Amino acid sequence: MTITIAPQSPLSPEGQALIAASQEALLEVLGPDEIFSFSAEDLAAPSVTFLVGRDDAGEPLGCVAMVDCRDYVEVKRLYVAPRGRRRGVARLLMEDLENRAREAGHEAVRLETGDVLVAAVQLYTTLGYAVRGPFGDYEAHPASLFMEKLL
């Protein structure tokens, strides 16, 4: 199976469905005050590239957003639908995001996640991300884990 990744509007029906599913998945393991994710409207900003991964049939399997923060990009809304899991979709989405960030001249990719999101933290670690302190407008929070990969 081939996975294709391309930019898409987060406001499209498929984009909104992926974002809603992402939010539901987060709420299964985190409280609302522990989630610092962006809405579809937030992700529709000019500084954001929203990427969708699709299977051979064109079905959306997952998404990730890349927020341009000048020197670095921030990862938001990495999510893979249950039917796309264990197929390398998250890794492909992250690699595509990193390539786009590198091509645009960014120095690093940063993210905020939760240590309870074990699979996500494991993926980021295997991709070369290291734990760091808060960045941007984030403050330290007991549910947050901040990570970075230099490009």
Side-chain angles (χ1 to χ4, degrees):
M1 176 185 71
T2 303
I3 305 295
T4 57
I5 299 170
Q8 180 173 330
S9 171
L11 298 175
S12 68
E14 292 172 334
Q16 289 186 11
L18 287 165
I19 292 164
S22 167
Q23 189 70 13
E24 288 174 25
L26 289 172
L27 286 168
E28 289 177 9
V29 294
L30 295 167
D33 61 329
E34 299 173 320
I35 299 173
F36 305 101
S37 55
F38 283 16
S39 68
E41 291 76 17
D42 295 330
L43 295 174
S47 62
V48 179
T49 302
F50 184 73
L51 302 169
V52 174
R54 298 176 180 281
D55 64 14
D56 294 330
E59 291 297 315
L61 298 176
C63 64
V64 69
M66 178 175 85
V67 180
D68 185 333
C69 300
R70 294 197 177 158
D71 293 342
Y72 66 93
V73 297
E74 181 179 357
V75 176
K76 298 300 280 185
R77 287 288 183 194
L78 177 62
Y79 173 74
V80 177
R83 69 183 177 281
R85 295 185 186 151
R86 307 271 185 252
R87 296 162 82 176
V89 176
R91 179 178 295 277
L92 290 171
L93 285 164
M94 287 299 296
E95 289 171 352
D96 189 280
L97 180 149
E98 291 172 6
N99 287 336
R100 290 172 188 270
R102 194 177 291 107
E103 289 170 7
H106 295 287
E107 299 173 0
V109 178
R110 296 178 182 162
L111 59 92
E112 180 273 336
T113 190
D115 57 3
V116 298
L117 302 172
V118 176
V121 173
Q122 183 177 13
L123 171 69
Y124 298 137
T125 301
T126 63
L127 288 173
Y129 287 77
V131 174
R132 59 156 293 139
F135 61 90
D137 293 335
Y138 289 104
E139 294 182 17
H141 189 283
S144 290
L145 179 66
F146 301 97
M147 300 182 84
E148 175 180 67
K149 179 177 181 177
L150 300 179
L151 299 176

